[in-house]
Amino acid sequence: QLQLVESGGGLVQPGGSLRLSCAASGFTLDYYAIGWFRQAPGKEREGVSCISRSGGSTNYADSVKGRFTISRDNAKNTVYLQMDSLKPEDTAVYYCAAQPYCYSTRRDYWGQGTQVTVSS
């Protein structure tokens, strides 16, 4: 079965940190750029960050720049999103997606999502 599985979400206080993981099953992540997206209640899904196939290129939404760091370990077939200095407005379901390259609008695989809640 070809799928992406996110993990690492949870409840954290403002200013805290979480690390999300996106693991591939049934296929190799090497051939894909990986994007992280999030969707808050009542809002549209938005792009958060993306990393190229090699990991040599990354990009971030302005709202998370300087606080989030995307990385990948192709040997482990996993992409990570380190989230620091979390704010209540970061609360959302976070998804990862495999896509041909970061600026592609095509998503070949989606994960099921992991909930991140930032609250005191």
Side-chain angles (χ1 to χ4, degrees):
Q1 186 175 3
L2 308 179
Q3 60 179 353
L4 292 171
V5 179
E6 302 97 336
S7 60
L11 173 64
V12 63
Q13 292 187 341
S17 297
L18 284 173
R19 188 176 80 155
L20 305 184
S21 297
C22 171
S25 176
F27 67 101
T28 302
L29 278 183
D30 297 30
Y31 300 123
Y32 296 93
I34 301 298
W36 281 99
F37 302 81
R38 67 185 181 186
Q39 187 166 20
K43 295 187 176 182
E44 293 187 354
R45 188 174 297 187
E46 63 174 351
V48 174
S49 182
C50 188
I51 188 165
S52 64
R53 297 177 185 181
S54 68
S57 177
T58 60
N59 60 55
Y60 300 91
D62 287 344
S63 58
V64 306
K65 204 170 291 184
R67 300 188 297 120
F68 290 11
T69 304
I70 192 170
S71 62
R72 67 190 299 157
D73 186 340
N74 285 343
K76 294 184 178 179
N77 222 22
T78 302
V79 171
Y80 305 98
L81 186 68
Q82 177 68 40
M83 306 188 296
D84 298 318
S85 302
L86 282 162
K87 304 175 181 180
E89 51 264 43
D90 294 318
T91 295
V93 178
Y94 283 71
Y95 302 87
C96 62
Q99 52 199 75
Y101 48 93
C102 279
Y103 292 100
S104 173
T105 57
R106 192 182 91 200
R107 322 293 179 209
D108 290 338
Y109 302 101
W110 283 99
Q112 83 291 348
T114 185
Q115 176 70 48
V116 171
T117 303
V118 184
S119 175
S120 55

